[in-house]
Amino acid sequence: MKGSLIIVGFFIAGIICGLTGWMPELDGNVSFLTLCGLLFCVGITVGNNTELLKSFRQLNPRLMLLPLMTIAGTLAATAIASLGLPGSSLSDCLAVGSGFGYYSLSSILITQYRGPDLGTVALLANIIREVFTLLGAPLLVRYFGPLAPISAGGATTMDTTLPIITRTSGQDFVILSLFHGFLVDFSVPFLVTFFCGLS
């Protein structure tokens, strides 16, 4: 929760700096270079954690399908929601939904491909997904079972939402949560750029 508020704070500070002219206008290359640096850091994190990759082998093969179900369910729900959003194309809605809570990466990509308006929508939609998981995890477990907050967390289940998932779903679901977050996280740049590329 604290991390989400910090991100929103920086976003608002950026808007204020842009409106007041305090910062010079930045071109698209800055966003692209920032994105490359972000992906490099993610790669270093995964490469340094060899225990994480080894622990994935202990998972029940059926539970390994959870990331695919999360992706399919999110895209299906996004497609249905797009029907009630006049003026929004299906591809734009699917691009936003493909962020899966990974707001820093998806919003940069969408801004680069589709402009700052949709990038802002992606940022807010993905932050809302993370905050919903952080606040709603106990209710999700109570009414839908221990896998529900993992699926709701999307790409955030290997970092920001992992503590609340561990507390509500139990220690038995830590490895699954890490595996889920890793795969969903990995899918974000491919799916977002694919849907952004559709006319």
Side-chain angles (χ1 to χ4, degrees), residues 10-34:
F10 273 102
F11 176 69
I12 291 170
I15 291 174
I16 293 169
C17 289
L19 289 173
T20 59
W22 190 70
M23 292 288 289
E25 188 174 336
L26 303 174
D27 62 12
N29 288 331
V30 174
S31 296
F32 178 73
L33 292 174
T34 303

Side-chain angles (χ1 to χ4, degrees), residues 69-86 88-101 110 118 121-122 125-126 129 191-192 195:
M69 296 300 101
T70 297
I71 292 169
T74 299
L75 295 179
T78 304
I80 293 168
S82 71
L83 300 174
L85 297 171
S88 297
S89 70
L90 176 62
S91 60
D92 283 351
C93 291
L94 289 172
V96 170
S98 295
F100 303 115
I110 291 172
L118 193 62
V121 170
N126 287 294
R129 181 173 186 157
L191 290 173
V192 169
F195 289 121

